[in-house]
Amino acid sequence: MDPSPPRAPVIPRTEPDPRDAATGPLWRAAQAFRLVTLLYAVGQQIASAPHYTNQRLSWVLIAVMAVWSGVSAVLLSQWRVHNVRRVRIAVVVGDHLIVIALIFATRLVANYDWYHNHQALPTTLWAANAVMSAAILWGPLGGIASGLLIAAVMVTARAQWDLDLWRDATTPVLVSVGLAIGLAANTARRAQEQLQRAVRLTAAAQERERLAREVHDGVLQVLSYIKRRGGEIGGPTAELAQRAGEQEVALRVLISEQGVGADAGGVEQDLRPLLTAQSTPSVLISTPGEPVPIGRFEAREISAAVASALANVAQHAGPGAKAYVLLEDTGDELIVSVRDDGPGIPSGRLAEAEEQGRMGVSRSIIGRIAALDGTAHLLFEAVGEDGSGAEWEFRVPRRPRQ
């Protein structure tokens, strides 16, 4: 015997698919309409039965119509069934087959003069249920195709392919119903998708804020402490302080990008969060009140250039120096200024560093901005008597909106 314990039965997932959940109210409303049209069809049968040549068969067909209306109404209005979409497709296809069969069955219960000049056994209103179901399931194109199919079957069964066809309202009514319900179904699906996206973004933002708090309380504070103490101690620890400062800035950018990437959902994103994420007690960030959308690549390159400039401030301007970042959007270009109140950069120091093979500024700042067809200028380079500090100005032209 198998000693392993019996496995628990697998319970099928009954949660609705978002697209099915969006159209749930439409399905239920359509089934209410189906039952109302069934009552109309029964009333029409009572009035028309005396004129039929086979009244008994007509009542049998009405009974089939009533049974199918009940079965289809129950199946289409429920979503807590396994493979609900397959069930609905099967019911909608069966709906069309039943309607078509009943329309042609009119010839079995009435003579030519009657079915040529009166409604078919399943009235136009009841036949519209198949069109509505197709429209909800497949959208406006499916609804229009269904309307044209049912209208063509009715015209064929009633032998109305003549000039009187253009005075009959069957075709425009059925096509209009398919178009209107199909558009409503598509609108409901889009609204559901937008709602779910908003819920996901809200959850992501909350998780990002929680993660940022935890990281700020732990890792960022440790990195900030290492940067500050390493700068104070000097010597071999200065390089450790520099690396800690760079990682602190990179980690702040990473935290901000966790939400921006999911939030944009397109080819552009707001540049402001990438810059404000680099704010610290010694780094003040000022951005416009309105979003500054820019391409993802451009946004990250500008953010990285600012991060490199701030890292240089932290390394060379002294432990008490403050940095100020200003973002301006003129419409034609973006202007980013990074200024500090440190001692400034001696004239020719950058050129000297580049000759020595130290490519940090030329690659991480000037190179990044140049890759965006922009310019990076060091406005204050010489050491001022009042310690005016240094100021970088990045100018990046705006590309056409996509």
Side-chain angles (χ1 to χ4, degrees):
M1 297 179 61
D2 187 1
S4 60
R7 295 183 179 180
V10 178
I11 301 176
R13 180 177 179 271
T14 57
E15 289 299 320
D17 182 87
R19 295 174 62 85
D20 294 329
T23 56
L26 287 176
W27 283 115
R28 290 188 288 273
Q31 305 327 304
F33 177 78
R34 182 186 296 271
L35 298 180
V36 171
T37 57
L38 175 63
L39 295 178
Y40 173 77
V42 171
Q44 185 70 18
Q45 165 67 11
I46 294 174
S48 303
H51 304 282
Y52 290 156
T53 56
N54 193 337
Q55 297 184 24
R56 181 176 299 178
L57 178 59
S58 69
W59 282 109
V60 171
L61 296 176
I62 290 296
V64 171
M65 183 190 306
V67 171
W68 174 253
S69 296
V71 172
S72 59
V74 171
L75 292 177
L76 292 178
S77 61
Q78 299 296 319
W79 55 264
R80 291 186 179 275
V81 294
H82 189 58
N83 292 330
V84 60
R85 185 167 180 82
R86 291 184 180 179
V87 171
R88 284 176 174 169
I89 291 176
V91 173
V92 172
V93 172
D95 216 357
H96 284 74
L97 296 178
I98 293 292
V99 169
I100 293 173
L102 290 175
I103 291 174
F104 279 109
T106 306
R107 291 193 171 196
L108 301 178
V109 300
N111 56 32
Y112 175 83
D113 291 335
W114 176 263
Y115 65 70
H116 181 70
N117 297 294
H118 296 80
Q119 290 193 72
L121 182 67
T123 62
T124 302
L125 279 179
W126 191 86
N129 288 289
V131 179
M132 293 178 63
S133 298
I136 298 174
L137 188 62
W138 294 307
L141 293 180
I144 292 174
S146 174
L148 292 174
L149 173 63
I150 299 299
V153 170
M154 281 193 171
V155 171
T156 301
R158 295 167 61 189
Q160 287 185 327
W161 294 103
D162 51 28
L163 294 178
D164 291 338
L165 171 65
W166 306 108
R167 294 198 295 265
D168 186 67
T170 300
T171 301
V173 166
L174 293 178
V175 172
S176 299
V177 167
L179 175 61
I181 300 299
L183 291 175
N186 280 0
T187 301
R189 292 188 182 97
R190 284 195 297 268
Q192 180 70 14
E193 291 173 356
Q194 292 175 356
L195 175 61
Q196 286 194 315
R197 184 168 179 265
V199 171
R200 289 195 300 269
L201 292 178
T202 301
Q206 293 175 349
E207 178 63 18
R208 185 173 70 256
E209 291 176 0
R210 184 192 66 80
L211 178 62
R213 288 193 298 268
E214 293 184 1
V215 172
H216 181 272
D217 293 340
V219 180
L220 288 179
Q221 288 186 358
V222 172
L223 290 175
S224 179
Y225 176 76
I226 294 174
K227 178 183 68 174
R228 185 175 66 255
R229 288 293 296 159
E232 294 173 353
I233 296 174
T237 60
E239 182 178 358
L240 177 62
Q242 177 187 355
R243 297 292 181 261
E246 294 174 353
Q247 292 305 311
E248 179 189 3
V249 173
L251 186 56
R252 291 183 185 278
V253 173
L254 178 63
I255 293 175
S256 70
E257 289 180 350
Q258 294 303 312
V260 175
D263 178 57
V267 296
E268 291 186 340
Q269 67 180 117
D270 191 357
L271 176 60
R272 298 177 304 166
L274 296 181
L275 298 183
T276 55
Q278 304 181 45
S279 177
T280 67
S282 60
V283 178
L284 304 179
I285 311 291
S286 178
T287 61
E290 297 295 327
V292 183
I294 190 174
R296 288 179 177 274
F297 174 74
E298 289 85 353
R300 290 187 172 131
E301 289 297 286
I302 293 175
S303 175
V306 171
S308 296
L310 294 177
N312 286 335
V313 172
Q315 179 180 359
H316 301 292
K322 290 186 178 295
Y324 307 89
V325 179
L326 174 63
L327 171 63
E328 298 178 87
D329 184 3
T330 65
D332 296 328
E333 64 178 355
L334 297 179
I335 303 176
V336 183
S337 301
V338 183
R339 180 173 61 86
D340 67 79
D341 58 3
I345 302 176
S347 179
R349 181 69 182 88
L350 297 181
E352 180 183 347
E354 187 172 354
E355 290 177 357
Q356 295 174 354
R358 302 173 64 180
M359 310 297 292
V361 171
S362 62
R363 289 181 179 177
S364 62
I365 297 179
I366 300 176
R368 278 193 168 100
I369 301 302
L372 305 179
D373 297 329
T375 57
H377 296 293
L378 185 59
L379 301 183
F380 302 119
E381 186 176 9
V383 179
E385 295 180 358
D386 57 351
S388 58
E391 179 176 358
W392 282 99
E393 183 181 77
F394 309 145
R395 290 179 174 267
V396 179
R398 271 193 168 283
R399 302 182 187 276
R401 297 291 298 274
Q402 298 184 16

